[in-house]
Amino acid sequence: MSEIIIKMIIEALFASIASVGFAMVFNVPKHTLVYCAIGGAITYIARTILLHLGIGIEISTFLASTFIGIIALYWSRKHLIPRPVYTVASIIPMIPGTYAFSAMISLVDMNSHGVSEHLIDIFVFNGLKAVSILGAISFGLALPSLYFMRLNRPII
């Protein structure tokens, strides 16, 4: 049990480093880097726990990005910083790079070696998985702000 916890802490540390690096590329204020690191660790840990509970990667990613969307709304109101400063850097560890890479490699193989049913299956599976995860991230980040920001505003 302690090995799993130590492994999650190490992975969360690396996820937070990736989030901070991405935030630094886009020149976010220095005092928000800590929140970007915490957000990256939170999203990665939340998705990993949900995956270990047997939930699919798309739903796990959606729930983790919804969770960070809610937290980022609180942070943005508390510190008067736009919400995307926190959310965009925090979701970076959940980007489906492996699936997108595998889809592109199978596409290149189809171009080089000819089209086969196996390569088409790999391309479609990995491509749809990558698009589904990206959609889950997008909807997960958008829904909390749409819901909570709409509570105090009139419909018309």
Side-chain angles (χ1 to χ4, degrees):
M1 184 65 171
S2 64
E3 293 175 9
I4 295 172
I5 293 172
I6 291 172
K7 182 180 178 220
M8 277 195 168
I9 290 171
I10 291 171
E11 289 176 354
L13 177 67
F14 284 120
S16 64
I17 290 171
S19 296
V20 168
F22 190 81
M24 289 173 67
V25 167
F26 287 97
N27 236 2
V28 301
K30 288 181 184 177
H31 66 277
T32 62
L33 290 176
V34 173
Y35 296 103
C36 293
I38 293 169
I42 287 171
T43 56
Y44 191 81
I45 286 175
R47 185 178 75 166
T48 304
I49 289 172
L50 291 169
L51 285 171
H52 283 300
L53 291 175
I55 300 173
I57 191 165
E58 296 89 352
I59 302 297
S60 299
T61 303
F62 172 75
L63 293 174
S65 54
T66 302
F67 186 57
I68 197 61
I70 293 168
I71 293 171
L73 273 173
Y74 170 74
W75 288 341
S76 68
R77 289 181 180 173
K78 181 180 176 186
H79 299 290
L80 299 175
I81 300 276
R83 182 184 49 83
V85 168
Y86 304 113
T87 57
V88 172
S90 296
I91 56 100
I92 289 302
M94 295 193 303
I95 298 294
T98 304
Y99 293 112
F101 181 77
S102 297
M104 288 296 106
I105 290 298
S106 64
L107 190 63
V108 169
D109 283 346
M110 280 191 272
N111 189 30
S112 300
H113 306 296
V115 177
S116 70
E117 186 176 331
H118 177 69
L119 287 175
I120 292 174
D121 287 343
I122 292 172
F123 174 72
V124 169
F125 175 79
N126 288 320
L128 288 176
K129 187 73 84 168
V131 169
S132 299
I133 293 171
L134 289 173
I137 291 171
S138 301
F139 286 121
L141 288 180
L143 285 179
S145 61
L146 290 174
Y147 179 74
F148 289 114
M149 295 175 104
R150 191 74 176 147
L151 286 177
N152 299 328
R153 293 184 184 172
I155 293 175
I156 298 176

